[in-house]
């Protein structure tokens, strides 16, 4: 069985994991969160916070969750995990 996670990302100055999870609990509750901080490649050298949640067994559901988060201003993509 393939498993997937959704990768949520947004360049913001302050990353508040709990606030994001609470404000989007209708989409993210029940999934395990993990986050990382990277630097963007643009000249501003902003930090890019990435939040992964999952596992999600159904890629169709993962796509649907990403679309809902996208309408809320987040970048989101489905990634396959092993």
């Amino acid at each position: 069985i393939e498993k997937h996670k959704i990768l949520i990302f947004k360049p913001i100055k302050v990353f508040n994991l709990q606030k994001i999870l609470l404000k989007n609990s209708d989409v993210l509750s029940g999934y395990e969160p993990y986050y990382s901080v990277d630097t963007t490649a643009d000249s501003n050298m902003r930090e890019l916070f990435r939040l992964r949640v999952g596992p999600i067994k159904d890629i169709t559901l993962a796509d649907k969750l990403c679309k809902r988060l996208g309408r809320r201003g987040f970048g989101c993509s489905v990634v396959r995990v092993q």
Side-chain angles (χ1 to χ4, degrees), residues 3 6 10 27 30-31 33-34 37 45-47 57 59 72 74:
K3 292 183 182 177
I6 57 174
K10 188 171 188 177
V27 178
Y31 299 110
Y34 168 80
V37 181
M45 298 299 289
R46 296 177 296 166
E47 292 181 322
K57 294 181 181 179
I59 193 167
R72 297 176 185 187
F74 292 94

Side-chain angles (χ1 to χ4, degrees), residues 32-67:
E32 182 179 336
Y34 168 80
Y35 80 96
S36 63
V37 181
D38 299 311
T39 303
T40 60
D42 66 11
S43 61
N44 293 334
M45 298 299 289
R46 296 177 296 166
E47 292 181 322
L48 181 66
F49 297 88
R50 299 176 188 268
L51 170 64
R52 293 180 188 236
V53 295
I56 302 167
K57 294 181 181 179
D58 181 358
I59 193 167
T60 305
L61 175 59
D63 282 332
K64 186 183 289 187
L65 295 176
C66 272
K67 287 178 184 175

Side-chain angles (χ1 to χ4, degrees), residues 12 15-24 28 51 74:
I12 51 179
F15 184 74
N16 187 326
L17 176 63
Q18 292 303 319
K19 185 175 180 180
I20 291 172
L21 293 173
L22 285 172
K23 287 182 103 176
N24 298 284
L28 301 176
L51 170 64
F74 292 94

